[in-house]
Amino acid sequence: MGGFDKLIGQQRPVRMLCNALRSEKLPHAFLFTGEDGVGKATAALELARICNCHETGFRRHTKIPGNEKPVFSACGKCRSCIKTERGVHPDIHRVSPEGGYIRIDRIRSLYDRLALKSDAASIRTVLIENAQLLNKEAGNALLKILEEPPESTIFVLTAPDAGDLLPTIVSRCRQIHFNPIPQKEMTDYLVSNMDLSRDNAMIVALVARGSLARAIDMAEADWLNYRNFIIDMLVRLPDLPASFRHVFAEIIASDRDKLEGVFEIMKNWYRDLAVFLRSPDKIYNHDLTDRVKAAARQIPADLIIEKADAVVKAENAISGNANHRLCLDALMAKLAQH
Ligand SMILES: [Zn+2]
């Protein structure tokens, strides 16, 4: 079985989608907004599955008179559901960015495909992920399609914020906002599905800040152990010889995929030191309260702020293509200060 129950902590968007399905008159286009990893694409695919399922989906429910509260879910077993699962359903089209943008040729080829006849039983679904990355020409081309939408076709656009899109596109869509996933729900999910202890799940949920995708990545990458290693190094840096700083910089620089996560761990650590003396209950790394307490008392408050600033500066410089090693060496020198 499949249904919107795959989504965690998104009761309101699910209610809005079920209402739209129940009304029997689906809008031509939805815009799902919200941060990465909160379930927008999952909801869009589920909508596509439900609309096209031969057994339990939308079409069937619309045919049952007096069925006031149908449970909208796809059967997961019919031909349509299996094709959707495998990503080969001929009437479910996904458009995603390539090279940082969605370019006009992608929208043109979508237009050509939509001009072909679809299976009469299908509700074609077009999922445009990260629609904020439509470049100007592509955005205008999509607008033309939305102005005269083909029959039996639903568009679902996803984006962090409606303000990131052409207002003329937004006005053609029914917007549904997905909130960050509440910590409690995320913790429960991680305990049941990712084999984390409740304590560890709480920390991951806290640091993932509402994004389930981020939380799952962290759980799979054994993030807690990695975080412990980084924090160990941060605590010990001031007492280690300079050669160790270079080794640490090298370790961090060697895995570029992890770099963003390392900066996140560092920022959270110095943030915790800064807030601990006033609000000890507000720290992120609450399993490390003793270490936070000791470090917060040891490092002068203004130096904590300077170190936090240095992390942000290094992160910005590296995302602006500065030399990784040079930036990290300079950062380590700062973080090693007493
Ligand atoms: Zn099905």
Side-chain angles (χ1 to χ4, degrees), residues 53-54 75-76 78 81:
C53 173
H54 298 317
C75 75
C78 71
C81 282

Side-chain angles (χ1 to χ4, degrees), residues 68-321:
E68 283 170 14
K69 280 201 167 181
V71 177
F72 290 109
S73 62
C75 75
K77 290 176 195 142
C78 71
R79 256 187 350 179
S80 169
C81 282
I82 289 169
K83 282 184 186 165
T84 314
E85 187 74 35
R86 292 190 188 147
V88 295
H89 198 296
D91 289 317
I92 297 176
H93 306 283
R94 296 183 80 159
V95 178
S96 343
E98 279 162 15
Y101 285 100
I102 302 174
R103 295 176 202 282
I104 189 160
D105 48 343
R106 294 287 286 129
I107 303 297
R108 281 200 189 121
S109 72
L110 174 70
Y111 182 85
D112 293 343
R113 279 157 78 187
L114 293 179
L116 302 172
K117 236 174 139 25
S118 68
D119 177 349
S122 296
I123 297 181
R124 262 190 312 208
T125 315
V126 179
L127 169 56
I128 302 183
E129 287 173 274
N130 288 310
Q132 77 280 9
L133 298 176
L134 284 157
N135 69 13
K136 200 171 161 212
E137 293 77 24
N140 283 323
L142 176 64
L143 181 63
K144 289 230 168 62
I145 302 179
L146 293 178
E147 279 169 351
E148 285 177 50
E151 255 183 63
S152 293
T153 303
I154 310 174
F155 291 81
V156 184
L157 281 62
T158 71
D161 191 273
D164 301 332
L165 301 177
L166 287 174
T168 40
I169 288 186
V170 177
S171 69
R172 302 250 157 213
C173 299
R174 184 177 301 175
Q175 193 186 338
I176 297 184
H177 185 69
F178 289 65
N179 285 315
I181 298 165
Q183 254 174 56
K184 162 88 175 62
E185 268 103 330
M186 180 115 72
T187 304
D188 290 345
Y189 178 89
L190 293 171
V191 170
S192 321
N193 297 281
M194 300 301 297
D195 207 20
L196 291 187
S197 70
R198 184 152 289 276
D199 280 353
N200 289 351
M202 275 169 69
I203 299 157
V204 169
L206 197 64
V207 175
R209 288 198 298 275
S211 165
L212 184 66
R214 206 180 290 147
I216 290 174
D217 281 351
M218 287 162 71
E220 282 175 349
D222 197 11
W223 176 83
L224 274 163
N225 272 331
Y226 194 61
R227 178 208 59 168
N228 291 347
F229 161 70
I230 299 290
I231 289 178
D232 256 353
M233 292 305 293
L234 292 180
V235 170
R236 294 169 62 195
L237 264 182
D239 302 320
L240 293 173
S243 57
F244 276 84
R245 279 188 233 147
H246 297 307
V247 172
F248 187 37
E250 205 168 284
I251 292 172
I252 295 175
S254 66
D255 194 346
R256 294 190 178 198
D257 291 344
K258 277 190 175 167
L259 210 49
E260 196 186 328
V262 171
F263 284 128
E264 203 62 28
I265 293 167
M266 290 180 171
K267 285 187 284 186
N268 288 341
W269 172 250
Y270 292 113
R271 174 207 167 270
D272 279 358
L273 301 191
V275 304
F276 182 81
L277 294 177
R278 259 193 231 165
S279 316
D281 54 323
K282 295 235 166 75
I283 63 171
Y284 286 151
N285 299 290
H286 56 74
D287 57 326
L288 304 177
T289 303
D290 289 343
R291 300 197 77 172
V292 174
K293 189 177 179 179
R297 287 183 175 162
Q298 207 178 18
I299 311 176
D302 47 354
L303 187 55
I304 293 174
I305 305 294
E306 281 174 29
K307 289 186 178 189
D309 283 348
V311 176
V312 175
K313 270 190 199 140
E315 188 180 22
N316 290 341
I318 286 175
S319 61
N321 276 332

